[in-house]
């Protein structure tokens, strides 16, 4: 399965996300702030990142924008997590470069479905050299 980096400052949300991912057979790296998450993304190159949008200090959108500007991390799919299930936030996360979007509270079916579809998309485009980051 996948190695997934979870960047989330809320302990209850982190615990839930970690549990759901481990139950699905994934391995989990975790960070509670964007700065630590960026370091882990560059050093450990996870297969996918779950990115809380509201973080202390640098927010998840700024962190995603940095990941998508860095050739070393641009290919890692980023799923935005936000409690603010508003159209404007979906649009903002898309503009920041997020590849997917999940509103909290986390529902396992939705989490697994988004991860599966992104991992399938990554495999499908593995031989492609496209630089497009406009995946739905
Ligand atoms: Mn948060």
């Amino acid at each position: 399965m996948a190695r997934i980096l979870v960047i989330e400052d809320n302990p209850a949300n982190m615990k839930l996300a970690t549990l759901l991912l481990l139950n699905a057979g994934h391995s989990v790296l975790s960070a509670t702030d964007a700065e630590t998450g960026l370091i882990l993304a560059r050093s450990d190159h996870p297969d996918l990142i779950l990115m809380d949008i509201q973080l202390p200090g640098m927010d998840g959108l700024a962190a995603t924008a940095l990941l998508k500007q860095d050739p070393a991390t641009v290919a890692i799919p980023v799923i935005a997590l936000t409690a603010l299930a508003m159209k404007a936030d979906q649009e903002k996360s898309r503009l920041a470069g997020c590849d997917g979007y999940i509103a909290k509270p986390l529902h396992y079916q939705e989490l697994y479905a988004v991860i599966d579809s992104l991992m399938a998309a990554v495999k499908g485009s593995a031989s492609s050299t496209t630089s497009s980051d406009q995946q739905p």
Side-chain angles (χ1 to χ4, degrees), residues 55-74:
L55 292 166
M58 185 191 302
D59 71 19
L61 295 179
T64 300
L66 288 176
L67 289 169
K68 295 301 182 179
Q69 285 163 20
D70 183 343
T73 53
V74 64

Side-chain angles (χ1 to χ4, degrees), residues 61 64-65 88-98 133-134:
L61 295 179
T64 300
D89 291 300
Q90 295 185 34
E91 189 57 29
K92 274 187 227 163
S93 54
R94 197 174 6 255
L95 290 173
C98 295
D133 59 4
Q134 298 300 310

Side-chain angles (χ1 to χ4, degrees), residues 8-9 52 54:
E8 165 67 79
D9 62 312
D52 182 27
Q54 293 182 298

Side-chain angles (χ1 to χ4, degrees), residues 86-135:
M86 294 164 64
K87 194 74 183 167
D89 291 300
Q90 295 185 34
E91 189 57 29
K92 274 187 227 163
S93 54
R94 197 174 6 255
L95 290 173
C98 295
D99 302 272
Y101 176 97
I102 297 178
K104 291 189 282 190
L106 282 179
H107 297 290
Y108 70 93
Q109 301 98 324
E110 183 183 15
L111 178 66
Y112 295 163
V114 172
I115 290 172
D116 286 350
S117 93
L118 282 176
M119 296 313 295
V122 167
K123 275 179 194 147
S125 65
S127 59
S128 160
T129 56
T130 180
S131 61
S132 170
D133 59 4
Q134 298 300 310
Q135 296 167 27

Side-chain angles (χ1 to χ4, degrees), residues 4 6 17-26 28 50 111-112 115:
I4 300 183
V6 182
T18 300
L19 192 67
L20 292 175
L21 294 172
L22 292 176
N23 281 350
H26 302 299
V28 178
L50 290 185
L111 178 66
Y112 295 163
I115 290 172

